[in-house]
């Protein structure tokens, strides 16, 4: 039986001793092979990541469903259903983050870049996240000292970056805390800064928080461990 590996082979076509008229076609084919190879790697990585990250929460969902079915009282059933709902939300967030990360691979290129207002993007994202902050009685605000912070980039990607940073701050800030977002200019650059009253990250782990699936232990906060990896990837692409 013929191996399927043959159909995923993307070795470049050699241009030596090839007529000059054919060389542009070979160049285009080689570029196509490169893109195909990256796509295959990205799809394989996505499948592996999804299988790895969804295995545990899906098992937890099954357990909570079984608890709800066997519940002896309304209170026990209600607790199981609430835990089931939390598990569904976590699975949904993991899938969303994985899909975003798969589209923002290191070999990706940004399209549809133009001059966009960092102030407007940030204000819109914070407005969407205000309900999350209110649920924890967290005070959230935006201080844009620069009125016209225009940057060149992809508006959707920058929105995802801002959302992940601000959402992280809300998630890891205790109830009755504060999340402060500011935009200002320094050394001919626009700076987006998000600070909060959470416990912070140990200095020894500052670099590791950008790793895929890495989460600081002991936070008691539901997360996928992908948010800051996505933030770093978007920043790098820009």
């Amino acid at each position: 039986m013929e191996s399927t590996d043959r159909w995923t082979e993307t070795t470049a076509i050699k241009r030596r001793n090839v007529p000059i008229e054919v060389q542009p076609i070979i160049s285009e084919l080689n570029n196509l092979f490169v893109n195909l190879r990256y796509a295959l790697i990205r799809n394989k990585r996505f499948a592996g990541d999804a299988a790895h990250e969804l295995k545990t929460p899906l098992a937890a969902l099954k357990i909570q469903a079984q608890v709800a079915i066997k519940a002896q009282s309304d209170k026990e059933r209600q607790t199981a259903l609430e835990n089931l709902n939390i598990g569904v939300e976590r699975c949904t967030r993991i899938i969303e983050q994985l899909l975003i990360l798969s589209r923002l691979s290191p070999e990706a290129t940004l399209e549809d870049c133009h001059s966009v207002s960092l102030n407007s993007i940030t204000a819109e994202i914070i407005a969407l996240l205000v309900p999350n902050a209110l649920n924890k009685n967290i005070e959230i605000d935006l201080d844009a000292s620069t009125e016209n912070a225009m940057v060149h980039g992809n508006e959707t990607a920058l929105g995802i970056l801002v959302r992940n940073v601000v959402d992280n701050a809300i998630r890891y800030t205790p109830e009755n805390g504060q999340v402060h977002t500011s935009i200002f200019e320094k050394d001919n650059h626009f700076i987006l800064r998000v600070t909060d009253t959470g416990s912070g990250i140990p200095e020894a782990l500052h670099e590791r928080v950008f790793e895929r699936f890495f989460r600081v232990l002991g936070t008691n906060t539901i997360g996928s461990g992908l948010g800051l990896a996505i933030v770093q990837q978007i920043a790098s692409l820009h």
Side-chain angles (χ1 to χ4, degrees), residues 113-122 144-155 158 183-186 188-192 238:
C113 289
H114 53 275
S115 183
V116 296
S117 170
L118 188 58
N119 290 7
S120 297
I121 292 173
T122 305
S145 59
T146 303
E147 294 183 2
N148 195 27
M150 302 301 293
V151 297
H152 184 78
N154 179 283
E155 186 170 1
L158 289 174
I183 299 172
F184 57 94
E185 189 173 1
K186 180 180 180 181
N188 295 320
H189 289 81
F190 291 119
I191 309 296
L192 170 70
H238 277 81

Side-chain angles (χ1 to χ4, degrees), residues 47-63 90-91 94-95 98 213:
D49 289 346
H52 174 270
E53 279 303 298
L54 291 174
K55 183 177 181 180
T56 299
L58 285 176
L61 289 180
K62 183 177 181 180
I63 291 172
R90 180 168 188 263
C91 286
I94 290 173
I95 292 170
L98 283 170
F213 304 118

